[in-house]
Amino acid sequence: MSTIAIVGGGITGLAAAWHLATRRPGHEVVLVESTSRLGGKLDSIRVAGHVVDGGAESVLARRPEALELMAEIDAPLVHPERFPASLWSRGAMTPMPAGTLMGVPSDPSSLRGLLTDDEVARVRDEHSVDLDGADIGIGDLVERACGSAVVDRLVEPLLGGVYAGHARALSARACMPALWEAAAAGRSLLQTAARAAEVGAARRDEPVFAAVDGGLGTLPARLAEAARGAGVTIRTGAVVSGLTAEGPAWRLRLTGSESGAGTGDAAPATTMHADAVLLATPAAPTARLLSDPAPDAAAALRTIEYASMALVTFAFRASDSAAFEGTTGFLVPPVDGAQIKASTFSSSKWPWLTDAVPDLRFVRVSLGRHGEERVLQKDDADLIRIGLADLRKAVGAMPEPVDAQVRRWGGGLPQYAVGHLDTVASIRAATAAHPTLALAGAAYDGVGIPACIASGRRAAEELVTRL
Ligand SMILES: Cc1cc2nc3c(=O)[nH]c(=O)nc-3n(C[C@H](O)[C@H](O)[C@H](O)COP(=O)(O)OP(=O)(O)OC[C@H]3O[C@@H](n4cnc5c(N)ncnc54)[C@H](O)[C@@H]3O)c2cc1C
């Protein structure tokens, strides 16, 4: 029986382990996670004594992978309320325009109220953009086609929410392929958005997002339990600190986690042998592990930068918090100079949370974008004060919270810079000499949870077909 080692116990590694154990039985599957906790960017925290999401909180339901996985492990699926989100722009709360494709409108008049008449006219007067086959920043593409205002007030906050990055630095080809392909083929971005809106309208009754009852942070433990039940060995608190090719097989060096918070089953500097290795780790640790067996891949991986951020979650008394009813939250265009970049009114968004904790309302704000991590150097008390001050500016008078907790995410989200697809292609080419090695996770083909699950499954399939 061959052994497949999976390094990294985030959603990618867990999904790969589950896939191998249930779809490709007959291998010994060992997942190794460096921290004492499984889940990576999916985590729960306690606020006012209650468990709420401390990281990712929803999955796109218009892709099948996450919903399939939840169904396979009998995780109780929930959907958010369909209240509209808002934009806090130019000091006012404006409803999020409907029918946009990552901010590119299908109908420019839907931007009235958010943009001035002149800015709307510039959007309507769309210019064609000659790309000559090259990648471009998504912000630059939309700015050249439709002007800067729609980028600053809509594209930027929307992309900021997904990537914690800058619209003009993020790759159009990797982040918004539909828009890039349209521009590359000389087609209109507005018409592309209109076609996407038609498809969306046809699926109007299907939920767009989903999570699990109890919060998405509870998914990793459920998935790990199911994977263990299907025969996967999971070792936490063990850092894979070295990877050596031994012919077609691999030797992994395992050391205890820095925190020493492991389960104890990973004594410092042990060795593990595997016939195949799936690295489901972020770019930096993956680069460290590949520095010997695939130095060119390691060099390319080191060019993928990550954004850090912090989430501050407040608990307010339900009786005090009328301000949070009827909307799921708001995004903030950075151009206005606010410190927060978004706020989610979690209790309004997730009925399971209100049912579980009816006397409190949870609200979270996010701070920090790629290259603007200075705000994150402040201590927790400052982040709470800054978050509350911006919330008050945005929604008006607000009560004092009964509790507030900060969860920091150093290196939270990979930045798909212009040229990202070429970078990924060069990483794959540089590891092609090792058919029993596969790479998966947020660094490559999508940062969203369904994309990560897909990449974990795909990498698992690659390995079993090559073993
Ligand atoms: C704050 C935040 C909110 C988000 N919200 C959403 C959302 O609502 N919806 C959505 O779809 N996406 C969201 N995302 C993105 C998404 O959650 C992530 O892209 C995804 O979870 C990444 O999963 P992963 O398994 O690829 O990597 P990770 O979650 O980073 O997991 C990698 C794991 O590898 C481990 N590891 C690293 N090095 C080693 C080593 N040497 N040895 C062993 N183990 C190692 C790490 O400890 C970690 O557990 C969010 C991201 C962040 C940061």
Side-chain angles (χ1 to χ4, degrees):
M1 187 191 273
S2 50
T3 301
I4 301 177
I6 298 173
V7 184
I11 193 67
T12 303
L14 287 167
W18 171 251
H19 182 86
L20 286 170
T22 55
R23 303 280 166 85
R24 297 290 185 166
H27 305 279
E28 186 189 7
V29 181
V30 182
L31 183 148
V32 186
E33 161 59 40
S34 58
T35 68
S36 59
R37 179 185 67 77
L38 293 163
K41 278 39 176 217
L42 280 67
D43 190 16
S44 300
I45 54 168
R46 276 191 181 272
V47 183
H50 299 280
V51 172
V52 298
D53 282 321
E57 51 119 42
S58 69
V59 298
L60 192 61
R62 295 278 166 95
R63 281 186 68 148
E65 297 89 347
L67 301 192
E68 284 167 8
L69 186 65
M70 290 171 185
E72 284 168 18
I73 62 166
D74 288 329
L77 189 69
V78 293
H79 298 289
E81 292 284 2
R82 290 190 149 205
F83 298 137
S86 304
L87 281 152
W88 179 33
S89 176
R90 294 177 165 130
M93 214 50 96
T94 311
M96 182 69 72
T100 80
L101 182 57
M102 197 49 96
V104 174
S106 40
D107 173 7
S109 60
S110 69
L111 305 184
R112 283 203 198 106
L114 178 66
L115 303 191
T116 66
D117 289 349
D118 286 352
E119 289 164 348
V120 173
R122 173 65 185 87
V123 175
R124 199 183 297 283
D125 176 30
E126 180 183 358
H127 301 179
S128 71
V129 183
D130 184 6
L131 293 179
D132 203 16
D135 197 4
I136 182 175
I138 179 87
D140 287 338
L141 170 62
V142 179
E143 178 167 349
R144 281 164 63 182
C146 299
S148 60
V150 69
V151 176
D152 291 339
R153 306 247 154 231
L154 202 49
V155 178
E156 192 78 86
L158 282 165
L159 279 174
V162 180
Y163 291 93
H166 297 262
R168 290 171 177 84
L170 290 165
S171 156
R173 256 185 104 186
C175 303
M176 284 310 300
L179 293 176
W180 183 84
E181 280 159 22
R187 294 196 306 271
S188 150
L189 301 191
L190 298 183
Q191 282 171 17
T192 303
R195 267 192 299 279
E198 275 170 30
V199 174
R203 301 178 69 181
R204 188 180 294 119
D205 297 334
E206 298 170 33
V208 182
F209 294 103
V212 292
D213 197 353
L216 209 56
T218 65
L219 182 65
R222 293 176 197 270
L223 183 51
E225 192 188 337
R228 281 193 184 101
V232 174
T233 302
I234 297 182
R235 301 176 68 167
T236 54
V239 183
V240 178
S241 55
L243 183 64
T244 310
E246 293 184 325
W250 298 91
R251 178 161 40 92
L252 290 79
R253 184 173 186 270
L254 268 55
T255 45
S257 70
E258 297 97 16
S259 64
T263 55
D265 62 347
T270 55
T271 295
M272 178 184 157
H273 295 274
D275 299 291
V277 173
L278 194 164
L279 296 180
T281 41
T286 309
R288 281 196 290 278
L289 291 173
L290 292 183
S291 58
D292 177 47
D296 291 346
L301 278 157
R302 279 189 213 102
T303 66
I304 300 178
E305 298 185 5
Y306 276 65
S308 297
M309 68 213 70
L311 296 174
V312 186
T313 304
F314 299 96
F316 297 95
R317 267 185 213 90
S319 52
D320 292 342
S321 311
F324 304 126
E325 311 299 338
T327 173
T328 54
F330 60 88
L331 296 175
V332 187
V335 69
D336 284 341
Q339 305 241 47
I340 63 171
K341 61 186 175 64
S343 177
T344 305
F345 299 172
S346 308
S347 299
S348 307
K349 182 170 179 180
W350 298 106
W352 72 262
L353 188 52
T354 315
D355 292 347
V357 193
D359 53 334
L360 293 175
R361 293 288 176 268
F362 296 96
V363 173
R364 71 182 198 176
V365 298
S366 57
L367 300 108
R369 284 203 308 162
H370 182 234
E372 293 171 12
E373 284 88 1
R374 210 152 49 100
V375 65
L376 303 180
Q377 285 159 9
K378 297 181 186 297
D379 63 22
D380 286 4
D382 280 338
L383 291 186
I384 290 168
R385 193 178 41 72
I386 289 167
L388 193 57
D390 269 358
L391 257 184
R392 287 189 164 131
K393 279 187 223 156
V395 301
M398 284 195 31
E400 278 302 305
V402 296
D403 191 17
Q405 297 295 329
V406 177
R407 178 69 163 90
R408 292 167 191 270
W409 291 100
L413 280 160
Q415 300 298 294
Y416 289 4
V418 173
H420 178 78
L421 296 189
D422 294 335
T423 304
V424 172
S426 72
I427 294 166
R428 296 227 157 98
T431 52
H434 296 291
T436 53
L437 173 74
L439 310 180
Y444 309 100
D445 306 313
V447 302
I449 289 162
C452 290
I453 294 169
S455 90
R457 286 177 179 172
R458 198 162 48 238
E461 279 296 314
E462 280 167 22
L463 290 181
V464 285
T465 53
R466 292 178 197 154
L467 266 172

